[in-house]
Amino acid sequence: FTLIELMVVVMLVAILAALAVPSFSEARNDRVAFDYARQYQQILVQARSRAAGTGSAHLALLTPGGGANRGVIRLYAALDGTPPPTGPNPVGSCRLNPAQWDDALPEILDYRKDRIIGSNNAVRFIDFAELNRAGINVDMDLRAQLWLDGTELGPSGVIAVCITPAGVTYVGSGAAPAQAINTMRTAPAFTGLAEVHIQRHRAGNPVGLERIVQMSGGGTPRLRSQ
């Protein structure tokens, strides 16, 4: 081969690589969106399995991707408030009293898992997933939108999902976590459909595949794409 022929081949390879990079980038970003949707699904699955296995009601708080927030899900377990060493012990009720989930309401900045939070020994922080991470999440503007029974809740809507050890699910929504929990406490057993739509955005417009985590009253949370 002559030097010119080798240079032509190198140039062709470089052009093909440059053309392929955007496709690889799009595929990577779609995969990241899928991975975060899978985390949401697994936390909801964990809520159901842990409630049955530990005898403690589990509360999942879901906040949407509105404003500066891109979406967060946090999981808590109910405890009876008994101080150590004899407690705290599991509580199987989702609505024992109005203050049952008070320690779950403040924004948690310390994300150490599986620990008692607050001062009344009534809530254990179990797990979380959030889209507010610097880097790729911000670059591709990955956001979560919350839907309840076919209606999008908007940028300020919060969903509270509580599952008892018997598998009974209670769901409430509101403009803040406290309001969503209060709605959940008085709601009948959930028989509808709650959804989390996770998708990338560009210039404010949705792009790529939409990942949807679906949860019905008594079923296992499912993940689908559209």
Side-chain angles (χ1 to χ4, degrees), residues 45-81:
V45 170
Q46 185 181 177
R48 188 169 295 278
S49 61
R50 280 184 58 92
T54 64
S56 176
H58 278 62
L59 174 75
L61 276 179
L62 296 91
T63 56
N69 181 37
R70 299 179 184 279
V72 182
I73 179 173
R74 299 179 178 90
L75 181 63
Y76 307 89
L79 303 173
D80 66 355

Side-chain angles (χ1 to χ4, degrees), residues 62-67 144-148 151-159 174-175:
L62 296 91
T63 56
Q145 296 173 307
L146 305 182
W147 293 67
L148 190 58
T151 301
E152 184 181 354
L153 298 186
S156 61
V158 178
I159 292 180

